[in-house]
Amino acid sequence: MLLKDAIRYYELTGCDFQNDLKDFGKLQRNFIQGYIQDDFTEKYESFTDKLLILWTDRQGGVKQILEENIELPNHSELISLYCRTIGEVKESEVETEIITFDDDLLKKHKKDRKENTIVELISAMTAVDIDITQFLDMELELVYQILEIVGEKRKKEQEKAKKQRRRV
């Protein structure tokens, strides 16, 4: 998903795309493993409805779609449109596959507070005086990779400057 779409997703739905995608991935993995939750349909449709809201907004709104008689995408088209990965996909052969089930009811833990990663990303970019507009048309994964590389380079530069100060 593009950064500008992730920001708009948050504005329209009030939800963080990264967290919703993580929950959707968990839902899909459980389905593939044969564990279907009682609220599977509600969770699946909730995520795809949010994607449809975003798609509708990107098309110009409901009025524009009705005037131009644009056909609505189905669930799989929405998912493939907004939930794609970039980069190399590593496929490896697995001889024996271990299946683990994550049942939240069996775990004794405090409810995890989910961070809003999009807001965190924007605030991090703002804190280091990066012009966000140049990243709006980039995929989220690419933006994270760029920031990681920039962070590593800055860290190396700081270590190098620190060593040079010691020598003086």
Side-chain angles (χ1 to χ4, degrees):
M1 176 174 279
L2 301 178
L3 178 60
K4 67 180 177 186
D5 289 340
I7 294 169
R8 190 67 181 146
Y9 180 93
Y10 176 69
E11 291 174 346
L12 293 170
T13 65
C15 299
D16 181 48
F17 176 74
Q18 295 290 84
N19 288 332
D20 285 354
L21 184 62
K22 181 180 174 186
D23 293 342
F24 183 71
K26 181 179 176 184
L27 186 72
Q28 284 185 317
R29 283 189 298 280
N30 287 341
F31 179 76
I32 290 170
Q33 293 174 349
Y35 174 67
I36 301 172
Q37 300 171 352
D38 291 336
D39 57 350
F40 174 84
T41 305
E42 290 86 18
K43 287 182 177 180
Y44 185 88
E45 288 182 354
S46 171
F47 181 68
T48 55
D49 287 347
K50 291 173 188 174
L51 292 178
L52 183 61
I53 290 169
L54 176 64
W55 181 85
T56 303
D57 182 70
R58 300 288 296 153
Q59 300 305 314
V62 175
K63 185 177 178 183
Q64 187 74 18
I65 291 172
L66 293 174
E67 287 176 357
E68 295 185 15
N69 202 18
I70 300 173
E71 186 177 334
L72 298 176
N74 61 29
H75 294 303
S76 59
E77 291 172 339
L78 284 169
I79 292 168
S80 66
L81 180 64
Y82 290 111
C83 304
R84 57 183 180 258
T85 57
I86 60 172
E88 298 177 17
V89 177
K90 298 178 183 176
E91 293 185 24
S92 59
E93 293 182 25
V94 178
E95 292 180 14
T96 58
E97 187 173 324
I98 299 172
I99 298 175
T100 58
F101 293 102
D102 290 337
D103 190 354
D104 294 332
L105 299 175
L106 298 176
K107 296 180 183 177
K108 288 186 178 181
H109 66 288
K110 297 177 186 175
K111 181 145 179 129
D112 295 332
R113 187 182 141 262
K114 292 185 178 180
E115 297 177 2
N116 192 329
T117 55
I118 298 303
V119 174
E120 291 289 326
L121 174 65
I122 293 170
S123 64
M125 293 172 75
T126 306
V128 293
D129 297 326
I130 295 177
D131 181 21
I132 296 173
T133 57
Q134 63 188 356
F135 293 102
L136 289 179
D137 291 322
M138 291 185 182
E139 291 286 335
L140 282 174
E141 294 176 23
L142 184 59
V143 173
Y144 282 117
Q145 289 174 355
I146 290 170
L147 290 178
E148 185 178 322
I149 291 169
V150 169
E152 289 173 4
K153 286 183 178 182
R154 285 189 179 175
K155 187 176 180 180
K156 287 179 184 178
E157 289 173 2
Q158 288 175 350
E159 289 174 1
K160 185 178 177 181
K162 190 176 182 180
K163 287 179 183 178
Q164 288 178 350
R165 278 187 245 139
R166 287 183 187 168
R167 291 181 187 170
V168 174

